[in-house]
Amino acid sequence: MDGEMEKPRSKLYALDSIVRRLPEVAVPKRRVPFKERFIWTGVALIVFFLMSQIPLYGIAQREPFVDTNGNGVFDFIDANGNGVMDPGETALEPYTDLNHNGVWDAGAQNFFGQLRYVLASHAGSLMELGIGPIVTAGIVMQLLVGSKIIGLNLSESEDRALFTGIQKFLAIIMAVFEGAMLVLAGNYGKSVGLLSPAGILLVLQLTLGAIVVIYLDEVVSKYGFGSGVSLFIAGGVAMTVVWEALNPATGVIPNLIGTVLSSGDVISEFFRPHLPNMMGLIATILIFFIVVYAESMRIEIPLAYGRFGGVRGRYPIRFLYTSNIPVILAMTVFANLKIFAALLHAPWLSYFTDAPNGLAQVAADPIRAVIYMAILVLASMGFAYLWVHMTGMGPGDVARQLDESGMLIPGFRRDVRVMEWVLSRYIITAALLGGAFVGFLSAGADFLGALGSGTGILLTVGIMYSLYQEIAKEQVAEMFPAVRKLFGE
C-alpha cells in the first residue's frame, strides 16, 4: 500500500555482489532418491577421510621418536635411525603417537587437544581446521540476526539467501584468520613466519581444506542425510573409538586379552596412563546408553483443533530440546580461545577450558576439573537459551505456528499469548536442563577417559540417533509415497 513504509533493507546487501559470485551447490530440482542420498553421504565422508590423511606441505620434518619400553609413548629422538639411544641423542618427556603412524610429528602438534574430536580436526593435515570456521561463522551470524543488528528476516527468502551466502563468505574469512593464527602461534615451527613463503603456503592449504569442508557440508545438506558438520564429527570419533579399542599395539581389548592370557595385572588395564584403558571403554559404553535413553525422554503437550473439538493431538517437547548443539558451540568457543591463548603466549587463558582426560589428570588437579565442568555447563545452558530464541524454536515461534495451523491447548483460551505462556514453562525449562545435562555428561565422560573424548562420544551418539531417525523416515517415504504428505513434502 502507498501509505505503508517499505522496510529498510539490511546494509549487508552491499555484499550481495560478492556473495553471488561464490560457487554454490545447486538445490535439487527433484526429490533425491534414498539410494542416491546414501551414495552422496558416503562420497562426502570418504573425501573428508582422504583429505584428513593428506599432510600439509611445508611443516617441519618428521623426527623419528622411539618407544623403547613399549608403553605407547616416545622416549628419545633416534637421530641416526639405529633404534637405540646413542650419546648426544635427545631424551624426551613422553610424547603420544596421536596419529598412530609410529613417529611423533614435530610439525603436526595436537594443537586442539581433546577439542579436535568436536572440530573434526586432524593434526598436520588439510583438515587441521575441521569444521571450526563453519561453526564459528554460524555462531557470529546467528548472534547478529538474533540481536537484530544486521536487520535480516530469515522468514523472507531473499534475506535467507543473503544470510546463507554471507555465512559461507564469513566461514572462508574465518578459515584464513584461524590458519594465520596457527602459523603465528608457532604450531608449525617457530621458524615459520606468517609472511614467509612457507607460512603463506600453509595458510593457503588450511583455507583450501576449510573451503572443501564448506562445500561438502552443502552437498550433504542438499543431497545426503543430515548435515556434513555432524557427519564429519561422528565419522572422526567413530574411527578413533574403533582404533583405540581394537588396534593390536595399544588397543584396549587386545591388551586386556593379552594381560589375561599371561596372568598379568588385570586391574592395571583399567587405569593405564597416557593410553586408552578399560575405564575409558566402560565410560564410552555407559555414555552411549545414557544418551540414547535421554534422547527418548520427552513431555507431550495436549492439543486440539479449534474447529473440530473432537480431533486431538500432542506436541512433543524433548528433554534434549536443543540436542547437542550447545556443546558444539561451547567447544568451538573454547577452540578459538585456545588459538588466541597460543598467539598471546598466555596458556593460562585456556587452561580451565581444556578438559582433564582420565581420572589421573582429575586427581592431579581437581580444582581445574571442577572449574572446567562449571564453565562447560554454564556455557551449554547459555548457548541452549540463545539457540532456542534465534532459530525459531522459542515458545513464541511455536505458539504462532500452532495457532496458524488452527490448534489450541485444551483448557486455555485460544490466544497466542496464552499459548506462548504455557509453552514457555516447558520449552525454556527443557532447553536449560538439556543444555546443563549435555554439558555435565560431556565433562564427566572426559574425566573418565572415554575413548574418542567424552564430548566426542556424546555428540556422536546424538548425531547417529538423529541420523537413524532421518534415514528411517526417508525409507518409509520411499516405500510409501503417500506418506510424504504427512512429512510435509
Side-chain angles (χ1 to χ4, degrees):
M1 296 178 61
D2 295 333
E4 292 184 2
M5 293 184 64
E6 187 178 347
K7 188 194 77 169
R9 284 163 64 91
S10 170
K11 292 181 180 179
L12 288 180
Y13 274 95
L15 300 174
D16 191 43
S17 58
I18 297 175
V19 170
R20 289 181 181 275
R21 288 184 172 85
L22 290 175
E24 183 180 2
V25 177
V27 177
K29 296 180 180 179
R30 58 181 175 82
R31 187 179 179 281
V32 183
F34 180 82
K35 289 183 179 179
E36 195 172 323
R37 284 180 178 271
F38 226 101
I39 291 171
W40 279 114
T41 304
V43 167
L45 193 58
I46 290 170
V47 171
F48 177 81
F49 282 146
L50 288 175
M51 293 193 66
S52 68
Q53 299 303 314
I54 300 176
L56 291 168
Y57 180 79
I59 61 177
Q61 183 67 32
R62 286 176 174 174
E63 295 175 322
F65 282 40
V66 178
D67 178 17
T68 55
N69 54 7
N71 64 349
V73 294
F74 297 98
D75 309 304
F76 70 94
I77 302 176
D78 185 18
N80 56 11
N82 64 352
V84 295
M85 184 173 176
D86 301 313
E89 291 182 337
T90 308
L92 300 168
E93 295 293 327
Y95 286 92
T96 304
D97 182 16
L98 298 167
N99 54 6
H100 313 294
N101 64 348
V103 296
W104 183 79
D105 302 314
Q109 300 176 48
N110 177 22
F111 181 84
F112 291 112
Q114 294 291 90
L115 295 173
R116 72 186 185 278
Y117 298 111
V118 182
L119 299 177
S121 168
H122 294 262
S125 74
L126 290 176
M127 292 292 106
E128 176 88 66
L129 298 179
I131 62 170
I134 299 178
V135 179
T136 304
I139 293 174
V140 172
M141 291 301 295
Q142 289 289 354
L143 288 174
L144 291 176
V145 169
S147 57
K148 304 188 185 304
I149 293 176
I150 56 179
L152 288 178
N153 182 2
L154 299 186
S155 62
E156 298 181 6
S157 58
E158 191 177 3
D159 282 7
R160 191 165 58 249
L162 180 66
F163 172 85
T164 303
I166 290 179
Q167 183 171 311
K168 185 190 299 182
F169 180 61
L170 181 59
I172 296 173
I173 292 176
M174 289 304 304
V176 176
F177 175 75
E178 291 182 6
M181 293 301 100
L182 287 179
V183 173
L184 282 174
N187 189 52
Y188 305 108
K190 301 295 183 183
S191 61
V192 179
L194 179 60
L195 299 179
S196 66
I200 294 172
L201 182 59
L202 284 168
V203 173
L204 288 175
Q205 291 176 85
L206 292 170
T207 304
L208 174 63
I211 291 173
V212 171
V213 170
I214 291 169
Y215 284 101
L216 286 177
D217 175 58
E218 203 169 337
V219 168
V220 174
S221 299
K222 294 178 179 178
Y223 291 89
F225 294 109
S227 72
V229 168
S230 299
L231 184 69
F232 302 148
I233 292 174
V237 173
M239 185 173 64
T240 301
V241 169
V242 171
W243 177 260
E244 291 185 347
L246 299 176
N247 86 81
T250 59
V252 175
I253 295 175
N255 274 269
L256 177 64
I257 294 173
T259 302
V260 171
L261 293 177
S262 62
S263 302
D265 184 6
V266 175
I267 300 299
S268 65
E269 292 296 322
F270 283 77
F271 305 101
R272 292 191 305 172
H274 307 298
L275 290 170
N277 53 46
M278 279 301 298
M279 184 59 70
L281 181 61
I282 292 171
T284 302
I285 297 171
L286 185 64
I287 295 299
F288 175 84
F289 286 109
I290 290 175
V291 174
V292 169
Y293 179 76
E295 287 280 1
S296 64
M297 292 173 60
R298 65 190 65 205
I299 185 171
E300 295 182 334
I301 308 297
L303 298 173
Y305 281 99
R307 295 182 181 178
F308 310 100
V311 180
R312 301 274 174 165
R314 293 181 181 276
Y315 184 81
I317 298 175
R318 296 189 308 148
F319 173 58
L320 300 183
Y321 188 68
T322 54
S323 188
N324 47 39
I325 296 295
V327 170
I328 294 178
L329 299 180
M331 291 298 174
T332 304
V333 172
F334 292 174
N336 284 287
L337 181 62
K338 194 162 189 174
I339 292 176
F340 280 108
L343 181 64
L344 298 174
H345 301 289
W348 56 270
L349 279 175
S350 61
Y351 180 73
F352 292 110
T353 56
D354 198 5
N357 185 32
L359 295 174
Q361 291 189 19
V362 173
D365 194 347
I367 294 177
R368 174 193 175 193
V370 171
I371 294 176
Y372 170 78
M373 178 175 282
I375 292 174
L376 182 57
V377 168
L378 291 175
S380 297
M381 291 176 69
F383 277 121
Y385 184 84
L386 288 174
W387 191 258
V388 162
H389 286 87
M390 293 180 182
T391 57
M393 297 171 63
D397 301 294
V398 175
R400 282 188 290 274
Q401 292 169 14
L402 294 175
D403 184 66
E404 289 171 2
S405 63
M407 305 194 79
L408 55 84
I409 300 176
F412 293 89
R413 183 162 51 93
R414 183 174 180 180
D415 187 302
V416 174
R417 291 170 298 178
V418 174
M419 199 179 299
E420 180 180 352
W421 174 76
V422 174
L423 289 171
S424 65
R425 293 190 300 173
Y426 299 99
I427 290 178
I428 301 301
T429 303
L432 293 177
L433 287 179
F437 176 78
V438 294
F440 178 82
L441 198 61
S442 170
D446 277 326
F447 296 167
L448 292 174
L451 308 184
S453 85
T455 307
I457 291 298
L458 170 69
L459 297 181
T460 300
V461 175
I463 290 167
M464 296 304 293
Y465 186 84
S466 301
L467 195 60
Y468 165 76
Q469 289 183 317
E470 183 175 347
I471 291 174
K473 169 185 164 183
E474 187 67 25
Q475 198 166 20
V476 169
E478 185 87 5
M479 295 171 62
F480 307 102
V483 178
R484 296 175 194 168
K485 294 181 180 179
L486 297 176
F487 295 150
E489 296 184 14

